[in-house]
Coordinates of all heavy atoms in Angstrom, one line a residue:
H26 N 10.7 -3.2 -8.8 CA 11.0 -4.3 -9.7 C 11.6 -3.7 -11.0 O 12.5 -4.3 -11.6 CB 9.7 -5.0 -10.1 CG 9.9 -6.2 -11.0 ND1 9.7 -6.0 -12.3 CD2 10.2 -7.5 -10.7 CE1 10.0 -7.2 -12.9 NE2 10.3 -8.1 -11.9
T27 N 11.1 -2.6 -11.4 CA 11.7 -1.9 -12.6 C 13.2 -1.6 -12.4 O 14.0 -1.8 -13.3 CB 10.9 -0.7 -13.0 OG1 9.5 -1.0 -13.2 CG2 11.5 0.0 -14.2
R28 N 13.5 -1.1 -11.2 CA 14.9 -0.7 -10.9 C 15.8 -1.9 -10.7 O 16.9 -2.0 -11.2 CB 14.9 0.3 -9.7 CG 16.2 0.8 -9.4 CD 16.2 1.8 -8.2 NE 15.9 1.1 -7.0 CZ 14.8 1.2 -6.3 NH1 13.9 2.1 -6.7 NH2 14.6 0.5 -5.2
E29 N 15.3 -2.9 -9.9 CA 16.1 -4.0 -9.4 C 16.0 -5.3 -10.2 O 16.8 -6.1 -10.2 CB 15.8 -4.3 -7.9 CG 16.1 -3.1 -7.0 CD 17.5 -2.7 -6.8 OE1 18.4 -3.6 -7.0 OE2 17.8 -1.6 -6.6
G30 N 14.8 -5.4 -10.9 CA 14.6 -6.7 -11.6 C 14.1 -7.8 -10.8 O 14.0 -8.9 -11.3
H31 N 13.7 -7.6 -9.5 CA 13.2 -8.7 -8.7 C 12.4 -8.0 -7.5 O 12.3 -6.8 -7.4 CB 14.3 -9.5 -8.1 CG 15.3 -8.7 -7.3 ND1 15.1 -8.3 -6.0 CD2 16.5 -8.2 -7.6 CE1 16.1 -7.6 -5.5 NE2 17.0 -7.5 -6.5
L32 N 11.7 -8.8 -6.7 CA 11.0 -8.3 -5.6 C 11.5 -8.9 -4.3 O 10.8 -9.1 -3.3 CB 9.5 -8.6 -5.7 CG 8.7 -7.8 -6.7 CD1 7.2 -8.2 -6.7 CD2 8.8 -6.3 -6.4
N33 N 12.8 -9.1 -4.2 CA 13.5 -9.6 -3.0 C 14.0 -8.5 -2.1 O 15.2 -8.5 -1.8 CB 14.6 -10.6 -3.4 CG 14.0 -11.8 -4.1 OD1 12.9 -12.2 -3.9 ND2 14.8 -12.3 -5.0
A34 N 13.1 -7.6 -1.7 CA 13.6 -6.5 -0.8 C 13.6 -7.0 0.6 O 12.9 -7.9 1.0 CB 12.5 -5.4 -0.9
G35 N 14.6 -6.4 1.4 CA 14.7 -6.8 2.8 C 13.5 -6.3 3.5 O 12.8 -5.4 3.1
R36 N 13.2 -7.0 4.7 CA 12.1 -6.7 5.5 C 12.0 -5.2 5.9 O 10.9 -4.6 6.0 CB 12.1 -7.5 6.7 CG 11.0 -7.2 7.8 CD 9.9 -8.2 7.7 NE 8.9 -8.0 8.7 CZ 7.6 -7.9 8.5 NH1 7.2 -8.0 7.3 NH2 6.8 -7.6 9.4
K37 N 13.1 -4.6 6.1 CA 13.1 -3.2 6.5 C 13.2 -2.2 5.4 O 13.3 -1.0 5.6 CB 14.3 -2.9 7.5 CG 14.4 -3.8 8.7 CD 13.7 -3.1 9.8 CE 13.8 -3.9 11.1 NZ 13.2 -3.3 12.2
H38 N 13.2 -2.7 4.1 CA 13.4 -1.8 3.0 C 12.2 -0.8 2.9 O 11.0 -1.1 3.0 CB 13.4 -2.6 1.7 CG 13.5 -1.7 0.5 ND1 14.7 -1.0 0.1 CD2 12.6 -1.3 -0.5 CE1 14.5 -0.3 -1.0 NE2 13.2 -0.5 -1.4
V39 N 12.6 0.5 2.7 CA 11.6 1.6 2.5 C 11.9 2.1 1.1 O 13.0 2.6 0.7 CB 11.8 2.7 3.5 CG1 10.9 3.9 3.2 CG2 11.6 2.2 4.9
E40 N 10.8 2.1 0.2 CA 10.9 2.6 -1.1 C 10.6 4.1 -1.2 O 9.6 4.5 -0.7 CB 10.0 1.8 -2.0 CG 10.1 2.1 -3.5 CD 11.4 1.6 -4.1 OE1 12.1 0.8 -3.5 OE2 11.7 2.0 -5.3
Q41 N 11.5 4.8 -1.8 CA 11.3 6.3 -2.0 C 10.6 6.5 -3.3 O 11.1 6.2 -4.3 CB 12.7 7.0 -2.0 CG 12.6 8.5 -2.0 CD 12.2 9.1 -0.7 OE1 12.5 8.5 0.3 NE2 11.5 10.2 -0.7
M42 N 9.3 7.0 -3.2 CA 8.5 7.1 -4.4 C 8.9 8.4 -5.1 O 9.6 9.3 -4.6 CB 7.0 7.2 -4.1 CG 6.5 5.9 -3.4 SD 6.8 4.4 -4.3 CE 5.6 4.7 -5.6
E43 N 8.5 8.5 -6.4 CA 8.8 9.7 -7.2 C 8.3 11.0 -6.6 O 8.8 12.1 -6.8 CB 8.4 9.5 -8.6 CG 9.1 8.4 -9.3 CD 8.6 8.0 -10.7 OE1 7.6 8.7 -11.1 OE2 9.1 7.1 -11.4
D44 N 7.1 10.9 -6.0 CA 6.5 12.1 -5.4 C 7.1 12.5 -4.0 O 6.6 13.4 -3.4 CB 5.0 11.9 -5.3 CG 4.6 10.8 -4.4 OD1 5.4 10.1 -3.8 OD2 3.3 10.6 -4.2
G45 N 8.1 11.7 -3.6 CA 8.7 12.0 -2.3 C 8.2 11.2 -1.1 O 8.8 11.3 0.0
T46 N 7.1 10.5 -1.3 CA 6.6 9.7 -0.1 C 7.4 8.5 0.0 O 8.1 8.0 -0.9 CB 5.1 9.3 -0.3 OG1 5.0 8.6 -1.5 CG2 4.2 10.6 -0.4
E47 N 7.4 7.9 1.2 CA 8.1 6.7 1.5 C 7.1 5.6 1.8 O 6.1 5.8 2.5 CB 9.0 6.9 2.8 CG 10.2 7.8 2.5 CD 11.1 8.0 3.7 OE1 10.7 7.6 4.8 OE2 12.2 8.5 3.5
V48 N 7.4 4.4 1.2 CA 6.5 3.2 1.4 C 7.3 2.1 2.0 O 8.4 1.8 1.5 CB 5.9 2.8 0.0 CG1 5.1 1.6 0.1 CG2 5.1 3.9 -0.6
K49 N 6.8 1.5 3.1 CA 7.5 0.4 3.7 C 7.3 -0.9 2.9 O 6.4 -1.7 3.2 CB 7.0 0.3 5.1 CG 7.4 1.5 6.0 CD 6.9 1.3 7.4 CE 7.3 2.5 8.2 NZ 6.8 2.4 9.6
L50 N 8.0 -1.0 1.8 CA 7.8 -2.1 0.9 C 8.2 -3.4 1.4 O 7.5 -4.4 1.2 CB 8.5 -1.7 -0.4 CG 8.3 -2.7 -1.6 CD1 6.9 -2.8 -2.0 CD2 9.2 -2.4 -2.8
G51 N 9.3 -3.5 2.0 CA 9.8 -4.8 2.5 C 8.9 -5.5 3.4 O 8.6 -6.7 3.2
G52 N 8.3 -4.8 4.4 CA 7.4 -5.4 5.3 C 6.1 -5.8 4.6 O 5.5 -6.9 4.9
W53 N 5.6 -5.0 3.7 CA 4.4 -5.3 2.9 C 4.6 -6.6 2.1 O 3.7 -7.4 2.0 CB 4.0 -4.1 2.0 CG 2.8 -4.4 1.2 CD1 1.5 -4.3 1.7 CD2 2.7 -4.7 -0.2 NE1 0.7 -4.6 0.6 CE2 1.4 -4.8 -0.5 CE3 3.7 -4.9 -1.2 CZ2 1.0 -5.1 -1.8 CZ3 3.3 -5.2 -2.4 CH2 1.9 -5.3 -2.7
L54 N 5.8 -6.7 1.4 CA 6.0 -7.9 0.6 C 6.1 -9.1 1.5 O 5.5 -10.2 1.1 CB 7.3 -7.7 -0.2 CG 7.3 -6.7 -1.3 CD1 8.8 -6.5 -1.9 CD2 6.4 -7.2 -2.4
D55 N 6.7 -9.0 2.6 CA 6.8 -10.2 3.5 C 5.4 -10.6 4.0 O 5.1 -11.7 4.0 CB 7.7 -9.8 4.7 CG 8.1 -11.0 5.6 OD1 8.4 -12.1 5.0 OD2 8.0 -10.8 6.8
N56 N 4.6 -9.6 4.4 CA 3.3 -9.9 4.9 C 2.4 -10.5 3.8 O 1.6 -11.4 4.1 CB 2.6 -8.6 5.5 CG 3.3 -8.2 6.8 OD1 3.9 -9.0 7.5 ND2 3.1 -7.0 7.2
T57 N 2.6 -10.0 2.6 CA 1.8 -10.5 1.5 C 2.1 -11.9 1.2 O 1.3 -12.7 0.9 CB 2.1 -9.6 0.2 OG1 1.7 -8.2 0.5 CG2 1.2 -10.0 -0.9
R58 N 3.4 -12.3 1.3 CA 3.8 -13.7 1.1 C 3.2 -14.6 2.2 O 2.8 -15.7 1.9 CB 5.4 -13.8 1.1 CG 6.0 -13.3 -0.1 CD 7.5 -13.5 -0.1 NE 8.1 -12.9 -1.3 CZ 8.9 -11.8 -1.3 NH1 9.1 -11.2 -0.1 NH2 9.4 -11.3 -2.4
R59 N 3.2 -14.1 3.4 CA 2.6 -14.9 4.5 C 1.1 -15.1 4.3 O 0.6 -16.1 4.8 CB 2.9 -14.2 5.8 CG 4.3 -14.2 6.2 CD 4.5 -13.4 7.4 NE 5.9 -13.0 7.6 CZ 6.6 -13.5 8.6 NH1 6.1 -14.4 9.5 NH2 7.9 -13.2 8.7
R60 N 0.4 -14.1 3.7 CA -1.0 -14.2 3.6 C -1.5 -14.5 2.2 O -2.6 -14.1 1.8 CB -1.6 -12.8 4.0 CG -1.3 -12.6 5.5 CD -1.9 -11.2 5.9 NE -1.6 -11.0 7.3 CZ -0.9 -10.0 7.8 NH1 -0.4 -9.1 6.9 NH2 -0.6 -9.9 9.0
V61 N -0.7 -15.2 1.4 CA -1.0 -15.4 0.0 C -2.3 -16.2 -0.2 O -3.0 -15.9 -1.2 CB 0.2 -16.2 -0.7 CG1 0.3 -17.6 -0.1 CG2 0.0 -16.3 -2.2
T62 N -2.7 -17.0 0.7 CA -3.9 -17.8 0.6 C -5.2 -16.9 0.7 O -6.2 -17.2 0.3 CB -4.0 -18.9 1.6 OG1 -3.9 -18.4 2.9 CG2 -2.9 -19.9 1.4
K63 N -5.0 -15.7 1.3 CA -6.1 -14.8 1.5 C -6.2 -13.8 0.4 O -7.2 -13.0 0.5 CB -6.0 -14.1 2.9 CG -6.0 -15.1 4.0 CD -5.9 -14.4 5.4 CE -5.9 -15.4 6.5 NZ -5.7 -14.9 7.8
L64 N -5.3 -13.7 -0.5 CA -5.3 -12.7 -1.6 C -6.4 -13.1 -2.6 O -6.6 -14.3 -2.9 CB -4.0 -12.6 -2.3 CG -2.9 -12.0 -1.5 CD1 -1.6 -12.0 -2.4 CD2 -3.2 -10.5 -1.2
T65 N -7.0 -12.1 -3.2 CA -7.9 -12.4 -4.3 C -7.1 -12.8 -5.5 O -5.9 -12.4 -5.6 CB -8.7 -11.1 -4.7 OG1 -7.8 -10.1 -5.1 CG2 -9.5 -10.6 -3.5
P66 N -7.7 -13.5 -6.5 CA -6.9 -13.9 -7.7 C -6.4 -12.7 -8.4 O -5.3 -12.8 -9.0 CB -8.0 -14.7 -8.5 CG -9.0 -15.2 -7.5 CD -9.0 -14.1 -6.4
E67 N -7.2 -11.6 -8.5 CA -6.7 -10.4 -9.2 C -5.4 -9.9 -8.6 O -4.5 -9.5 -9.3 CB -7.8 -9.4 -9.2 CG -9.1 -9.8 -9.9 CD -10.0 -10.6 -9.1 OE1 -9.9 -10.6 -7.8 OE2 -10.8 -11.3 -9.7
R68 N -5.4 -9.8 -7.2 CA -4.2 -9.2 -6.6 C -3.0 -10.2 -6.7 O -1.9 -9.7 -6.9 CB -4.5 -8.9 -5.1 CG -5.5 -7.8 -4.9 CD -5.6 -7.4 -3.5 NE -6.4 -6.1 -3.4 CZ -6.7 -5.5 -2.3 NH1 -6.4 -6.0 -1.2 NH2 -7.4 -4.4 -2.4

């Protein structure tokens, strides 16, 4: 979000973290949107 200004990453997007690890962000965002009703209010 800091780099792009939005959270509209493609489903296959992999975010390269500063420590070198890779996070499958696109799939996580898609799954989070699908399960929004199950999220805690804090999350």
